[in-house]
Amino acid sequence: MHRMKIKRIIDISGTISDRTTLWPGDEGVTLDRIQNIESGDSCNLSVLRMGTHTSTHVDAPLHFVAGGADTASVNLNKFIGFAKVFNLSTQDCIKASDLYPLNINVGDIVLFKTKNSFLDMNGLFHKGFVYLDESAARFLADKKVATVGIDYLSVESFYADNAVTHKLLLQNEIGIIEGLRLKDVQEGEYFLSCVPLKIEGADGSPVRAVLVEFD
C-alpha cells in the first residue's frame, strides 16, 4: 500500500488566551489552575472558560437554524479533506463576481485568504473586516460546496442585521469555518483537518485547524 509522505503541516489556527480578539459582547477567555504542582499538588489541572465561537472555530447549523445540527452531530466530511485556498487579498468584500473566475466545484472545501489574515488577532476587534456578501453566499450555495472558510471571526459583515450569509450557507448544509490564520499560506490545494469538539447542544466549537502538504 502506497503511503503519502507529509511534507509540511501548517497551523492556521489562532492562539487562545486572555488576549484573544473577541466578537464584541462575547465573554473573555479564562484559564484557572485548580491544582498546581508548584503548590504541592500531584499534577497541574485547569478549568477553561470561553465562548463556543472563540478564535478559530466552526459554526454548526444550530447557530442560525432552529433545530439544526449541533457540533456533536455535524458531518465531519465538511471539516476534514482536501481544501482549496484562494487569495482574494485585494477585496474589501467578497462578491459573487469575485468567485466566478475561480475553480470552485460541487463538494469543495474553499478557504478565502484576504486582508484579514494580516490583522492582529490579539487585542482590538476590527469592524471593517473582509466578508462574504449575499451574492457570494448564494453563488456558493448554488455550487453546492461542502464548506466555506474565512480569515476573520465571521463570514458575514459586522453591520449585517439579518444574518442572510450565515443562513444561506447553513440552511444549505454548508460548513462554516471562521477565524482562520492564512497569512503564510500560498494559494493552492491542501489537506485540511479542522474538526469541532463533540459537544452536545453546542452551536459552535473552537478548532485546531491545520493544512497538510504532501510530497
Side-chain angles (χ1 to χ4, degrees):
M1 178 180 175
H2 176 71
R3 293 186 179 181
M4 292 187 292
K5 183 180 179 181
I6 294 176
K7 177 181 179 181
R8 183 166 65 132
I9 297 175
I10 309 169
D11 190 348
I12 55 171
S13 314
T15 300
I16 296 173
S17 74
D18 58 4
R19 303 178 304 281
T20 298
T21 301
L22 302 173
W23 190 267
D26 279 5
E27 183 173 341
V29 178
T30 58
L31 180 67
D32 294 321
R33 187 69 55 81
I34 59 174
Q35 291 189 33
N36 195 322
I37 292 173
E38 294 180 359
S39 299
D41 294 318
S42 61
C43 67
N44 291 318
L45 184 64
S46 303
V47 173
L48 175 64
R49 182 177 177 85
M50 62 181 175
T52 55
H53 299 265
T54 299
S55 193
T56 310
H57 65 274
V58 159
D59 283 358
L62 184 60
H63 189 32
F64 279 103
V65 179
D70 60 12
T71 62
S73 55
V74 292
N75 185 345
L76 297 184
N77 286 340
K78 298 181 182 301
F79 304 110
I80 185 165
F82 285 96
K84 296 175 180 177
V85 175
F86 295 104
N87 187 348
L88 297 176
S89 58
T90 62
Q91 284 79 358
D92 293 318
C93 165
I94 300 172
K95 304 178 176 66
S97 57
D98 299 313
L99 305 182
Y100 294 153
L102 305 182
N103 180 25
I104 297 176
N105 302 298
V106 174
D108 280 348
I109 298 173
V110 293
L111 310 180
F112 296 118
K113 177 182 179 179
T114 75
K115 291 182 286 188
N116 297 335
S117 279
F118 298 88
L119 296 174
D120 182 10
M121 288 299 290
N122 292 298
L124 292 176
F125 177 84
H126 299 272
K127 295 182 180 179
F129 59 86
V130 182
Y131 61 93
L132 277 69
D133 74 358
E134 180 178 352
S135 71
R138 197 171 298 280
F139 173 86
L140 293 167
D142 290 343
K143 280 285 188 177
K144 295 181 171 58
V145 300
T147 305
V148 176
I150 199 164
D151 49 359
Y152 209 66
L153 295 177
S154 179
V155 292
E156 191 140 22
S157 169
F158 176 77
Y159 301 100
D161 58 4
N162 54 8
V164 64
T165 294
H166 276 93
K167 290 175 181 176
L168 275 169
L169 298 175
L170 294 174
Q171 288 173 350
N172 284 281
E173 299 183 349
I174 296 171
I176 295 177
I177 309 167
E178 297 169 327
L180 293 168
R181 301 283 80 206
L182 299 172
K183 178 181 177 181
D184 299 319
V185 178
Q186 299 298 312
E187 192 170 59
E189 187 167 348
Y190 304 84
F191 188 85
L192 170 72
S193 177
C194 179
V195 292
L197 296 175
K198 194 173 183 179
I199 308 172
E200 186 174 335
D203 46 73
S205 169
V207 294
R208 184 69 176 265
V210 298
L211 296 175
V212 182
E213 289 183 316
F214 296 99
D215 279 332

